[in-house]
Amino acid sequence: LAAGREGHDDLFDFEEIHPGAGGEPCIRRIKEPQDHSEPFRRLVYHPGLLSVCRQLLRSSDLRRGSMKLNLKSAVHGSPVQWHQDWAFYPHTNDSLLAAGIFLDEVRRDNGPLLVMPRTHRGPLYSHHRESDGLFVGGLDAEASGLEFARSAQPLTGPAGSVSFHHVRLVHGSDLNRSRQPRKIVFIEVAASDAWPLAGSSNYRSFSDFMEHRMLCGRPSLQPRMVALPVRIPLPKPSAPQFQGSIYATQQLLDRPFFERFQGREADARPREVSADGESGAANAKRIRTCDPEAVRAQACLP
């Protein structure tokens, strides 16, 4: 399906090294795979998945947001800069999470999801460019004051593992520096009384929102309002090459934390930043491999 496509569209998001219509496609994301694959459609309704979501969101009425398959190919799989999902789709309350199903073994060296435990209880960081107010989909790591090298934790595990992270949790992932792919499918799940605010809706129609996206329970016409920090994700980039996915939008960050693939095999060492702001492989040991179950509990529980 991807062969012959020049660039990003409603189904595929391509790596920056994608050769266009004349070569082997380099895909980094497949959008809404459940619309094109019966196994992915069934996965959305997996009873074990929904059981955990009901517990974490404390609601028996759940609605699906977006679903995406991030491929993170060997050697050149793109990084995702530090961000909070809440910056992309603020709602009337924050009873939202993302479930990540590992389709490959996720290791320290193939671009695991990195999370900053307990940041879901903290502030909303600016994802707008300071110079002109443009929404660029990522936070300025230095300006945030967060100690990424000291506190970030990788979520690793065998294929079939599932992670759950809260919509306000700060997270990201490095370039895949290994020779092994790292495929994870992410499913956004919300309580049905969490309604999207202006500028953040991704549903196709009212019936899509109220009926087709319901995973279990009943829809709600009464949004639950909670006083939370919100900044609308507007204005968005106007140039097509910076639209369509977080990867494209984050190219406009003034100071990206993770390096992008530069057309050569990446250094096998992860890029880290110490508390004093200096980069170097010597700091790599400060982000520790940890028990995935412990991290999931820290990252998800309100």
Side-chain angles (χ1 to χ4, degrees):
L1 287 176
R5 303 200 186 205
E6 290 286 350
H8 313 317
D9 55 26
D10 291 339
L11 178 57
F12 296 111
D13 191 87
F14 294 98
E15 295 282 4
E16 293 172 52
I17 61 171
H18 176 62
E24 187 72 18
C26 297
I27 306 168
R28 62 187 173 195
R29 170 177 288 179
I30 299 175
K31 306 168 187 177
E32 308 296 347
Q34 78 287 350
D35 290 343
H36 309 277
S37 167
E38 179 61 22
F40 280 110
R41 192 196 70 79
R42 294 199 305 268
L43 178 62
V44 172
Y45 298 97
H46 192 286
L49 185 70
L50 295 182
S51 175
V52 175
C53 290
R54 282 192 291 265
Q55 294 176 59
L56 291 175
L57 296 178
R58 298 189 174 96
S59 175
S60 58
D61 307 312
L62 301 180
R63 183 182 64 248
R64 177 184 63 79
S66 294
M67 184 177 184
K68 54 245 184 184
L69 172 55
N70 291 351
L71 299 181
K72 196 76 103 167
S73 299
V75 178
H76 63 254
S78 288
V80 176
Q81 305 296 332
W82 295 111
H83 68 285
Q84 295 164 294
D85 294 341
W86 185 248
F88 288 82
Y89 43 89
H91 281 57
T92 57
N93 63 71
D94 65 352
S95 292
L96 298 93
L97 59 77
I101 298 94
F102 299 4
L103 303 187
D104 293 312
E105 179 185 8
V106 178
R107 308 190 313 245
R108 172 65 190 278
D109 65 346
N110 67 348
L113 189 68
L114 299 170
V115 301
M116 293 290 286
R118 302 181 183 86
T119 51
H120 65 297
R121 299 176 179 174
L124 169 64
Y125 295 92
S126 175
H127 291 58
H128 289 72
R129 195 162 60 188
E130 185 176 359
S131 60
D132 57 6
L134 186 71
F135 181 74
V136 292
L139 56 86
D140 185 311
E142 293 184 35
S144 72
L146 293 170
E147 296 185 347
F148 293 103
R150 183 184 303 276
S151 303
Q153 300 285 351
L155 302 189
T156 59
S161 301
V162 182
S163 68
F164 299 85
H165 67 265
H166 189 262
V167 69
R168 289 170 58 191
L169 186 79
V170 175
H171 61 287
S173 65
D174 198 0
L175 180 71
N176 183 355
R177 301 166 185 276
S178 77
R179 295 186 178 277
Q180 301 299 321
R182 188 234 67 180
K183 295 185 288 294
I184 300 179
V185 59
F186 288 99
I187 305 171
E188 299 163 5
V189 180
S192 69
D193 62 3
W195 276 65
L197 299 179
S200 62
S201 61
N202 63 355
Y203 55 90
R204 298 162 184 165
S205 65
F206 182 70
S207 62
D208 179 49
F209 181 78
M210 293 292 288
E211 299 174 19
H212 302 152
R213 289 180 179 262
M214 288 300 298
L215 299 174
C216 55
R218 298 180 178 181
S220 175
L221 281 172
Q222 295 181 299
R224 177 166 51 90
M225 310 294 290
V226 177
L228 293 166
V230 167
R231 191 171 186 181
I232 300 299
L234 296 172
K236 295 182 179 179
S238 57
Q241 67 266 35
F242 301 125
Q243 300 175 2
S245 75
I246 187 172
Y247 301 99
T249 303
Q250 287 188 342
Q251 292 180 49
L252 293 169
L253 273 167
D254 287 332
R255 294 187 291 185
F257 184 89
F258 301 110
E259 71 170 346
R260 287 149 56 190
F261 183 67
Q262 301 297 322
R264 55 177 171 76
E265 187 162 331
D267 189 317
R269 298 168 298 177
R271 189 280 201 203
E272 309 297 350
V273 172
S274 64
D276 61 6
E278 296 295 322
S279 62
N283 296 311
K285 62 181 181 296
R286 298 180 64 185
I287 291 186
R288 304 173 303 279
T289 301
C290 58
D291 176 8
E293 292 299 330
V295 173
R296 289 169 196 151
Q298 291 176 350
C300 302
L301 295 178

